[in-house]
Amino acid sequence: MSGTGSDLKGRLTDGLYGLGWGAVKKLPEPAARALFRTIADQAWKRRGKSVLRLESNLARVVPDAGPARLAELSKAGMRSYMRYWMESFRLPTWSPQRIRNSINVRDVHRLTEGMEAGNGVILALPHLGNWDLAGAWVTTDLKVPFTTVAERLKPETLYDRFVAYRQGLGMEVLPHNGGAAFGTLARRLRSGGLICLVADRDLSASGVEVNFFGDTARMPAGPALLAQQTGALLLPVTLWYDGTSVMQAKIHPPVGVPGTGTRAENTSSMTQALADAFATGIAEHPEDWHMLQRLWISDLDPQGEAP
């Protein structure tokens, strides 16, 4: 696409997101839910690249599923994905009580006790459920500020919208730009802070190889490296919808730093432990895994890029 065409597409994308944040939050909730379910079903019926990729990914998660079951899962998956967007567009208008009532967190003591210990806590999540709602609950119910990292989106104005949105929910947002972000995250942890990272897909093509549903994928090394460097507690978290207006969340047991081994070996084993925790949650609730991109190495192009 030419530069002019690319700019036009970027402005259009940014404009549509702006319309979503401006208009959807003003709709009556039943109307918003119905609208986004319709959008999900129409997208699913078109069988575009994203839907086909979601179905391909789900085939790895549920290997014994036939075509009818996969179609059912992908349809439910698109509805879950659109629920994420509908809630995200409306979150800035929710009261603190509404946020508290919209999520049920299991084993929250692992997080609160970790914060009380004063060594910092890393929450690592896959693309399950609504991670923005989980973040809003942390800042609203626990009243704990935290730092996260956001992928740089095109156009820049769209990235700015996401940053402003998440800052409005009480998050400190750093751009995903390698070493500078890592250093800031380490400083936050050393001061006893909390960071939250979505960590089931590597954006740099230099992540850690893990076994994930029987094949090799790459996941970010950052959570394991930060835990080793700072002594912070590393906690996997999974999220899912249960057919009600309340999202469920589980804080899994901590991933510890092995007592022996090199830094690289420890990073590999800790990232595998994260992948295993993620896989548990995804296998239990595959329709809530919003992975519409290529993930496994065997699905990537020869340069290792994920279109």
Side-chain angles (χ1 to χ4, degrees):
M1 180 179 289
S2 69
T4 301
S6 179
D7 291 345
L8 177 60
K9 180 181 178 182
R11 290 198 301 272
L12 178 61
T13 301
D14 180 48
L16 288 172
Y17 278 102
L19 179 64
W21 265 300
V24 174
K25 63 186 179 183
K26 298 177 183 177
L27 288 174
E29 184 145 332
R33 289 189 180 279
L35 171 63
F36 276 75
R37 176 165 285 212
T38 299
I39 292 171
D41 290 351
Q42 290 300 317
W44 178 79
K45 286 178 182 177
R46 285 198 297 271
R47 309 287 293 165
K49 288 173 61 177
S50 294
V51 172
L52 294 176
R53 176 51 52 192
L54 174 63
E55 216 161 271
S56 175
N57 291 339
L58 289 171
R60 292 178 180 268
V61 175
V62 191
D64 58 346
R69 174 60 175 151
L70 282 176
E72 178 184 283
L73 279 173
S74 65
K75 184 174 186 178
M78 291 305 295
R79 287 182 172 183
S80 175
Y81 184 49
M82 285 298 109
R83 175 173 171 175
Y84 162 80
W85 282 110
M86 187 274 293
E87 290 177 344
S88 294
F89 287 142
R90 297 173 68 85
L91 256 177
T93 69
W94 286 9
S95 68
Q97 192 60 44
R98 172 69 189 276
I99 291 171
R100 293 187 191 100
N101 292 342
S102 295
I103 182 170
N104 176 51
V105 183
R106 306 176 189 195
D107 297 315
V108 68
H109 66 92
R110 290 177 173 140
L111 171 56
T112 54
E113 290 171 3
M115 293 301 299
E116 289 168 2
N119 297 321
V121 174
I122 306 160
L123 297 180
L125 307 87
H127 286 81
L128 266 175
N130 188 336
W131 44 96
D132 286 328
L133 173 56
W137 172 83
V138 168
T139 59
T140 300
D141 193 57
L142 298 186
K143 294 182 171 54
V144 175
F146 69 88
T147 304
T148 188
V149 175
E151 179 183 2
R152 278 209 174 273
L153 302 170
K154 298 294 183 183
E156 192 75 15
T157 50
L158 179 58
Y159 171 77
D160 292 341
R161 284 187 190 274
F162 273 95
V163 170
Y165 156 66
R166 288 179 171 135
Q167 287 175 336
L169 297 175
M171 311 175 193
E172 179 188 25
V173 183
L174 307 176
H176 186 278
N177 59 356
F182 186 93
T184 302
L185 294 172
R187 286 193 295 274
R188 298 292 181 270
L189 292 169
R190 289 195 184 98
S191 65
L194 173 67
I195 68 170
C196 302
L197 301 171
V198 180
D200 57 343
R201 181 171 179 261
D202 179 56
L203 296 173
S204 67
S206 61
V208 177
E209 292 190 0
V210 295
N211 183 290
F212 197 55
F213 291 103
D215 202 353
T216 303
R218 289 193 193 97
M219 293 189 181
L225 287 171
L226 285 165
Q228 292 176 78
Q229 185 166 311
T230 67
L233 188 70
L234 175 55
L235 295 172
V237 179
T238 54
L239 312 169
W240 68 95
Y241 296 122
D242 65 355
T244 72
S245 60
V246 178
M247 183 177 72
Q248 302 295 319
K250 179 179 179 179
I251 301 176
H252 294 254
V255 173
V257 178
T260 60
T262 66
R263 184 177 173 124
E265 289 169 343
N266 291 345
T267 300
S268 178
S269 65
M270 293 171 72
T271 306
Q272 182 64 60
L274 281 181
D276 292 343
F278 295 165
T280 299
I282 293 166
E284 291 174 351
H285 308 281
E287 68 279 4
D288 291 323
W289 189 39
H290 306 151
M291 185 55 66
L292 280 68
Q293 300 86 19
R294 301 183 187 195
L295 177 68
W296 283 271
I297 291 176
S298 58
D299 289 337
L300 304 182
D301 71 13
Q303 285 72 47
E305 296 176 350

